[in-house]
Amino acid sequence: MAEPLYLQISGRLRQGILTGEYKPEDMLPSENELAARYSTSRVTVRKSLGVLESEGLVRPWHGKGYFVQPPKYTMFTLYFGDDATDGRFRFQEVTILRPEKDVAEKLLLKKHQMAIVTRRILERDDRVVAYDEKFVPYERGVPSIEFELHFTEFPHMFEERFAPMSLHTEMTIGMETAPEHVCAALSLAADKPLLVVGRLIRASDDKPVGFAKQYLTEAFGKLSARSGYYTQEKL
Amino acid sequence: MAEPLYLQISGRLRQGILTGEYKPEDMLPSENELAARYSTSRVTVRKSLGVLESEGLVRPWHGKGYFVQPPKYTMFTLYFGDDATDGRFRFQEVTILRPEKDVAEKLLLKKHQMAIVTRRILERDDRVVAYDEKFVPYERGVPSIEFELHFTEFPHMFEERFAPMSLHTEMTIGMETAPEHVCAALSLAADKPLLVVGRLIRASDDKPVGFAKQYLTEAFGKLSARSGYYTQEKL
DNA sequence: AAGTGGTCTAGACCACTTC
DNA sequence: AAGTGGTCTAGACCACTTT
């Protein structure tokens, strides 16, 4: 048994879908039909259909059958991380300050509540290509984490205090005219628009625990993503 | 049976992982152990573990057990499509021309080979917020698709000619100084940098079949994405 | 040898859809 | 009533890991 039977079946069906033998909206042979055709049990057939379902190629409809899904191209997968790039980070400063309104709102800071800010510069081939800012709400009595702020990838900082799996990140990508201190650090003309990636980290109760903002110059390059045949609309 | 048993089991285990009862690198109870604990069969237990595996929370190791996966924060899911936005597209023109070098290279155009170009403008609340360009290699004898170019979502145009499921898209996000005709259409100062989303569509043999470029103004807003607990590294 | 996950069987009963 | 998928059982044998 080189290849398990269920993979043989799903492979054969996938081929049928990709070559157009089964077209979108078409119904696949029923589980019983397939079980008979391959002289196997319904459980094995179901497992093979589960493979196609997880690939988004097919969806079952209770009481009717399995239907080939039309492809959706609107879902992309993007890789992005603190250290997902070449280059070297140069630490700039750690301070405690009251952040701008947009950041304060994202972190749900109380009036006059401060935030710990870490600032870094990304250098590549002796060129400054990005500027990196991280904000964490400052609370008295909570062990300070400023010393590790520039060592680890951002979300990892919170793993000790929150159950690690309970964090998630919301990312926004846009263009902003950079504030003065960023332009200065990047040796750019003031008010130059930059590609800005913001990442808001929330705990499982949706409470924001940190916000990172990265200003990317043209020298940084572009972000890239990829879409497959995603069909799930779990939302 | 309000909730199927396998979902009850996976729910209980998920809770254990999210609350830190089972930590990353920890091993879950074995299939047999769980089957005994819930007075059920191994098949049902396996189904519940399959749920957690598909969520990236857990990974099985043949001969050892199921292990809780450390979270990865570098993978984001991004939604983006032609019509994934509010607003109305206003058709501008269809022409046949030789595209700029960068586009020609992406489409692997032969020397002097032309491309069909469609240009549209996205308006929202009577404001122009984005400019949209699509390039398709021009080949004599191939049925022209310029008439549908501005009706359907980009990848759908190719579904008739390629097996529908065999397309995939590569997306890049960056900042570019917009060419003159774009600035003019958007009523912007010349050479203004814009947020640019490029989408290259390939057939299953990786042959490029179309390229879309969208210039987004600040009025368009930002792109957003979200990361969960993804652990898969299928690549 | 003993324990683990990976594959598979030959049934069963239920819920949903169609006729 | 007949066909479909959804859930579940109580076994079996195999491959991998640890002792």
Side-chain angles (χ1 to χ4, degrees):
Chain A
M1 188 216 303
E3 193 180 25
L5 178 56
Y6 78 94
L7 285 181
Q8 294 178 38
I9 299 176
S10 62
R12 173 66 191 80
L13 290 172
R14 185 186 303 106
Q15 190 187 10
I17 293 171
L18 261 42
T19 59
E21 180 184 343
Y22 302 114
K23 295 189 176 55
E25 318 294 346
D26 280 1
M27 201 181 100
L28 292 186
S30 76
E31 295 179 354
N32 285 319
E33 161 68 20
L34 287 170
R37 188 182 299 179
Y38 289 94
S39 310
T40 183
S41 70
R42 236 188 96 203
V43 176
T44 300
V45 168
R46 279 181 68 78
K47 176 143 190 179
S48 67
L49 288 165
V51 172
L52 301 180
E53 190 186 347
S54 75
E55 292 171 356
L57 289 171
V58 126
R59 188 143 61 178
W61 195 332
H62 195 160
K64 300 177 90 168
Y66 284 80
F67 292 84
V68 178
Q69 289 299 109
K72 284 198 180 167
Y73 299 98
T74 52
M75 201 174 124
F76 293 82
T77 302
L78 189 143
Y79 296 85
F80 190 83
D82 285 351
D83 49 8
T85 83
D86 297 331
R88 206 170 54 86
F89 274 107
R90 191 151 57 81
F91 170 68
Q92 223 195 5
E93 64 172 339
V94 176
T95 52
I96 294 186
L97 52 74
R98 173 72 188 178
E100 297 292 313
K101 195 182 157 214
D102 60 328
V103 174
E105 279 174 0
K106 282 198 176 65
L107 289 176
L108 297 180
L109 293 186
K110 294 183 189 66
K111 254 196 167 177
H112 306 305
Q113 189 183 359
M114 311 286 270
I116 305 172
V117 185
T118 316
R119 297 188 165 127
R120 299 187 307 174
I121 287 173
L122 177 63
E123 287 177 338
R124 199 151 60 197
D125 301 330
D126 289 326
R127 288 176 68 187
V128 177
V129 298
Y131 186 89
D132 179 275
E133 264 181 343
K134 287 170 185 159
F135 302 83
V136 180
Y138 178 71
E139 292 172 47
R140 301 182 77 140
V142 172
S144 165
I145 51 176
E146 53 257 62
F147 293 120
E148 51 171 322
L149 267 171
H150 50 289
F151 290 125
T152 59
E153 187 150 6
F154 199 36
H156 296 339
M157 291 172 6
F158 308 104
E159 289 188 0
E160 294 295 317
R161 294 196 277 162
F162 306 92
M165 307 305 264
S166 67
L167 298 170
H168 65 267
T169 304
E170 292 166 17
M171 180 166 73
T172 56
I173 304 169
M175 236 182 44
E176 292 179 28
T177 56
E180 258 182 54
H181 70 276
V182 174
C183 287
L186 294 174
S187 321
L188 291 176
D191 292 336
K192 174 138 186 167
L194 290 175
L195 186 59
V196 178
V197 177
R199 288 182 297 158
L200 180 62
I201 299 179
R202 295 180 189 271
S204 58
D205 54 1
D206 274 347
K207 188 187 164 204
V209 296
F211 180 68
K213 207 164 178 176
Q214 294 181 297
Y215 298 85
L216 313 179
T217 69
E218 297 193 45
F220 178 88
K222 293 179 178 174
L223 307 175
S224 62
R226 202 184 145 94
S227 89
Y229 322 109
Y230 307 99
T231 312
Q232 297 130 332
E233 45 203 77
K234 281 189 205 167
L235 301 183
Chain B
M1 188 217 304
E3 193 181 24
L5 179 56
Y6 78 93
L7 286 181
Q8 293 178 38
I9 299 175
S10 62
R12 173 66 191 81
L13 290 172
R14 185 185 304 105
Q15 190 187 10
I17 294 172
L18 260 43
T19 59
E21 181 183 341
Y22 303 114
K23 295 190 176 57
E25 318 292 347
D26 279 1
M27 200 182 100
L28 291 187
S30 75
E31 294 178 356
N32 285 320
E33 160 68 20
L34 288 169
R37 188 183 301 179
Y38 289 95
S39 310
T40 184
S41 70
R42 235 188 97 203
V43 176
T44 300
V45 167
R46 280 181 66 80
K47 176 144 190 178
S48 66
L49 288 165
V51 173
L52 301 180
E53 191 186 348
S54 75
E55 292 171 356
L57 288 171
V58 125
R59 189 142 59 178
W61 194 333
H62 196 161
K64 299 178 91 170
Y66 284 80
F67 292 84
V68 178
Q69 290 298 111
K72 285 200 179 166
Y73 298 98
T74 52
M75 201 173 124
F76 293 82
T77 302
L78 195 146
Y79 297 85
F80 190 83
D82 285 351
D83 50 9
T85 84
D86 297 331
R88 206 171 53 86
F89 274 107
R90 190 151 58 79
F91 170 67
Q92 222 194 5
E93 63 171 340
V94 175
T95 52
I96 294 186
L97 53 72
R98 173 71 188 179
E100 297 293 312
K101 195 182 159 214
D102 60 330
V103 174
E105 279 175 0
K106 282 199 176 62
L107 290 176
L108 295 180
L109 292 186
K110 295 183 188 68
K111 252 196 170 177
H112 306 304
Q113 189 183 359
M114 311 286 269
I116 305 170
V117 186
T118 315
R119 296 187 165 129
R120 298 187 307 174
I121 287 172
L122 177 63
E123 287 177 338
R124 199 151 60 195
D125 301 329
D126 289 325
R127 289 175 67 187
V128 177
V129 297
Y131 186 89
D132 180 274
E133 265 182 344
K134 287 169 185 162
F135 302 82
V136 180
Y138 177 71
E139 292 172 46
R140 300 183 78 142
V142 172
S144 165
I145 51 175
E146 52 257 62
F147 294 119
E148 52 170 323
L149 267 172
H150 50 289
F151 290 125
T152 59
E153 187 151 6
F154 198 38
H156 296 340
M157 290 173 6
F158 308 104
E159 289 188 359
E160 295 294 318
R161 296 196 277 163
F162 305 93
M165 308 305 262
S166 66
L167 298 170
H168 65 266
T169 304
E170 292 166 17
M171 181 165 74
T172 56
I173 303 169
M175 237 182 43
E176 293 180 25
T177 55
E180 259 182 54
H181 70 276
V182 174
C183 287
L186 294 175
S187 321
L188 290 176
D191 292 336
K192 173 139 187 165
L194 290 175
L195 186 59
V196 178
V197 177
R199 287 182 297 157
L200 180 61
I201 299 179
R202 296 180 188 271
S204 57
D205 54 1
D206 275 346
K207 188 187 164 204
V209 296
F211 181 68
K213 207 164 179 177
Q214 294 181 298
Y215 299 86
L216 313 179
T217 69
E218 297 194 44
F220 177 88
K222 294 179 177 173
L223 307 175
S224 62
R226 201 185 145 93
S227 90
Y229 323 108
Y230 307 99
T231 312
Q232 296 129 331
E233 44 204 81
K234 279 189 204 166
L235 301 183

